């Protein structure tokens, strides 16, 4: 894998704008672990190696067990490893990320709105949208994951 361009250096104002959303989400009140679980799941769906590597490392730094981390792609079958809130957020991340296929059904919205208040739901959706955008940059410009730089 060869990095095509360093998009952050090529367009620092655009990168800074996306970074502002990231900073806002860090102060949103949603738990950092929940946000990073969503970032990881969105990145897995989109196949962004750079982001999968980064968010896995972030979750480990937050104290998330390796057992939980490796079960993120199959969270539905992981039983009590994921809390109800985790499961609803991951389901929302999947339906919103796959919007072209899902159309984000009313049942998915209702399940999420029953668990998250309006601000949390908006912030959770911003997090999903932000990660989908960053995944597109990472995949398009072939951002190299930290693990590959160490190999």
């Amino acid at each position: 894998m060869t990095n095509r361009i360093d998009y952050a250096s090529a367009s620092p104002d655009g990168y800074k704008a996306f970074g502002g959303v990231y900073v806002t989400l860090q102060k949103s009140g949603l738990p950092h672990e929940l946000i990073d679980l969503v970032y990881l799941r969105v990145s897995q769906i989109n196949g962004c190696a750079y982001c999968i590597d980064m968010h896995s490392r972030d979750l480990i730094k937050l104290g998330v067990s390796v057992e939980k981390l490796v079960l993120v792609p199959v969270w539905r079958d992981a039983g009590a490893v994921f809390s109800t809130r985790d499961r609803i957020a991951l389901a929302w991340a999947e339906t919103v990320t796959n919007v072209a296929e899902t159309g984000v059904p009313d049942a998915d919205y209702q399940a999420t709105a029953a668990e998250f208040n309006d601000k949390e739901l908006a912030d959770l959706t911003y997090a999903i949208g932000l990660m989908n955008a960053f995944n597109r940059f990472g995949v398009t410009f072939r951002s190299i994951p930290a693990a590959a730089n160490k190999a």
Side-chain angles (χ1 to χ4, degrees):
M1 174 185 258
T2 303
N3 192 0
R4 291 177 172 168
I5 66 168
D6 178 351
Y7 63 89
S9 295
S11 179
D13 290 341
Y15 185 75
K16 185 177 177 182
F18 280 107
V21 176
Y22 177 82
V23 169
T24 297
L25 290 168
Q26 291 299 308
K27 297 186 273 185
S28 71
L30 288 173
H32 291 182
E33 180 180 326
L34 181 73
I35 293 172
D36 280 330
L37 281 173
V38 164
Y39 286 164
L40 178 59
R41 185 65 192 122
V42 169
S43 299
Q44 290 169 338
I45 293 166
N46 291 322
C48 183
Y50 180 86
C51 294
I52 291 168
D53 180 73
M54 178 174 52
H55 298 299
S56 295
R57 291 171 190 275
D58 290 345
L59 285 160
I60 290 169
K61 286 178 193 169
L62 289 172
V64 173
S65 70
V66 172
E67 292 82 8
K68 183 173 185 176
L69 190 67
V70 299
L71 291 173
V72 170
V74 293
W75 62 267
R76 283 180 177 84
D77 300 319
V81 172
F82 295 92
S83 70
T84 298
R85 203 161 164 88
D86 288 344
R87 289 192 302 273
I88 291 170
L90 290 167
W92 187 244
E94 289 179 0
T95 197
V96 172
T97 296
N98 293 312
V99 65
E101 292 88 30
T102 69
V104 188
D106 289 342
D108 293 352
Y109 171 79
Q110 290 161 353
T112 309
E115 181 66 31
F116 293 92
N117 67 38
D118 288 354
K119 182 185 181 318
E120 291 172 329
L121 180 54
D123 289 339
L124 182 60
T125 308
Y126 282 128
I128 295 162
L130 177 68
M131 194 47 47
N132 272 287
F134 272 127
N135 290 164
R136 276 136 182 85
F137 288 112
V139 171
T140 299
F141 297 122
R142 306 287 192 259
S143 298
I144 300 168
N149 282 327
K150 292 179 181 180

